[in-house]
C-alpha cells in the first residue's frame, strides 16, 4: 500500500474501527483518518457502504472495503492453515489440520443456526467465504480427513450456497482445484 491513497472512515469508540487502525498501524500503512458523525453520515460513507451504511470503511485507491476485519482475519488464517494441510506431511500436516478445523469451527459458530452468515439471505460474508469451499475436496483428500465430520453445519451452508445457480456457476470445480494442487505440490517437491 506504499504510495497508495488510503482513507479510513471511522468513529473513534468503535471496536471494529480500532481493529482497522491497529492493523494499519502494525503494517506501517499511512492513511487519512476521517471521523464519521453516525447521526449525520457523510456522502462518502453512504456511497462506500451503501447496503449497511456502517463504519469502518477502508478506501484503498478509491475502492471501498467494508465489514468487520475479523472476517479478513478468518480468511487469512484459513488460507495459511489450509495450505499446511496439502503441502506438508507428518506432524506439521497434523498440526495444520487441527488449526484448519479450529478455524472452520469458529466460522461454524458464527453461522450458528442461520441459513447464511447474514441471516436468511446469501450476502457479503457468504460471498467472501464460499470460495474457500472449492478447496475442501483437496484438503480432505490430501489431508485424509472429513470436514463434514467436524463441521456438519458448515457443509450444509456450502450446499445451500451451491443451490444458488449464480454461485455454483462462478466457482471453480473442486476436481480442477485438486489437479492444480497436485501439480503445484509435485513442482515444489521437484525443486
Amino acid at each position: 500500500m506504499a504510495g497508495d491513497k488510503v482513507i479510513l472512515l471511522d468513529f473513534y469508540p468503535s471496536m471494529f474501527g480500532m481493529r482497522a487502525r491497529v492493523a494499519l498501524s502494525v503494517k506501517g500503512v499511512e492513511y487519512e483518518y476521517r471521523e464519521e458523525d453516525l447521526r449525520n453520515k457523510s456522502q462518502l460513507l453512504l456511497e462506500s457502504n451503501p447496503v449497511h451504511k456502517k463504519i469502518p470503511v477502508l478506501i484503498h485507491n478509491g475502492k471501498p472495503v467494508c465489514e468487520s476485519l475479523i472476517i479478513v482475519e478468518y480468511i487469512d488464517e484459513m488460507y495459511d492453515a489450509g495450505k499446511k494441510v496439502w503441502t506438508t506431511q507428518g506432524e506439521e500436516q497434523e498440526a495444520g489440520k487441527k488449526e484448519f478445523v479450529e478455524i472452520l469451527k469458529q466460522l461454524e459458530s458464527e453461522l450458528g443456526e442461520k441459513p447464511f452468515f447474514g441471516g436468511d439471505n446469501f450476502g457479503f460474508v457468504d460471498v467472501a467465504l464460499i470460495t474457500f469451499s472449492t478447496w475442501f475436496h483437496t484438503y480432505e483428500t490430501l489431508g485424509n480427513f472429513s470436514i463434514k465430520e467436524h463441521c456438519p453445519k458448515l457443509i450444509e451452508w456450502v450446499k445451500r450456497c451451491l443451490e444458488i445457480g449464480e454461485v455454483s456457476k462462478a466457482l471453480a470445480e473442486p476436481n480442477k482445484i485438486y489437479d492444480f494442487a497436485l501439480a503445484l505440490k509435485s513442482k515444489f517437491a521437484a525443486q
Side-chain angles (χ1 to χ4, degrees):
M1 285 193 195
D4 292 352
K5 178 141 178 87
V6 179
I7 300 169
L8 181 65
L9 306 180
D10 195 7
F11 181 56
Y12 78 92
S14 167
M15 59 189 111
F16 301 108
M18 288 180 214
R19 275 191 199 124
R21 295 192 302 267
V22 168
L24 289 165
S25 296
V26 166
K27 294 289 184 185
V29 176
E30 290 187 30
Y31 64 97
E32 178 185 338
Y33 179 86
R34 293 193 189 170
E35 182 77 13
E36 284 289 326
D37 176 351
L38 298 183
R39 290 180 298 234
N40 186 22
K41 297 174 181 173
S42 73
Q43 191 60 37
L44 183 58
L45 174 61
L46 298 174
E47 289 169 4
S48 300
N49 192 353
V51 176
H52 298 292
K53 302 173 178 67
K54 293 181 180 178
I55 52 92
V57 175
L58 180 72
I59 303 172
H60 181 208
N61 290 333
K63 293 186 168 66
V65 179
C66 306
E67 294 298 317
S68 170
L69 289 179
I70 195 72
I71 301 303
V72 174
E73 180 184 349
Y74 281 159
I75 292 169
D76 189 27
E77 288 178 6
M78 183 185 295
Y79 176 80
D80 290 341
K83 188 175 177 185
K84 287 179 193 173
V85 170
W86 67 273
T87 60
T88 62
Q89 296 177 348
E91 288 181 22
E92 192 176 356
Q93 185 184 48
E94 290 304 313
K97 284 194 300 193
K98 185 177 180 184
E99 183 182 351
F100 183 67
V101 166
E102 286 306 310
I103 291 163
L104 293 180
K105 284 181 179 179
Q106 285 178 345
L107 288 172
E108 191 174 66
S109 154
E110 288 294 321
L111 179 63
E113 299 301 321
K114 302 176 300 233
F116 298 101
F117 280 92
D120 291 332
N121 299 309
F122 183 83
F124 178 82
V125 177
D126 302 292
V127 171
L129 296 175
I130 191 59
T131 58
F132 288 95
S133 72
T134 62
W135 279 80
F136 285 3
H137 171 67
T138 299
Y139 299 149
E140 290 176 318
T141 305
L142 296 177
N144 194 27
F145 73 110
S146 165
I147 293 172
K148 185 177 182 176
E149 180 183 316
H150 298 283
C151 301
K153 289 180 187 175
L154 197 62
I155 295 302
E156 289 303 313
W157 165 78
V158 170
K159 288 178 184 174
R160 277 191 294 281
C161 291
L162 294 178
E163 288 172 359
I164 301 168
E166 294 82 0
V167 173
S168 58
K169 286 179 198 169
L171 295 176
E173 291 181 35
N175 288 333
K176 286 186 177 180
I177 299 286
Y178 177 74
D179 292 341
F180 168 78
L182 283 181
L184 205 56
K185 189 174 179 171
S186 66
K187 180 182 175 184
F188 286 130
Q191 291 177 350

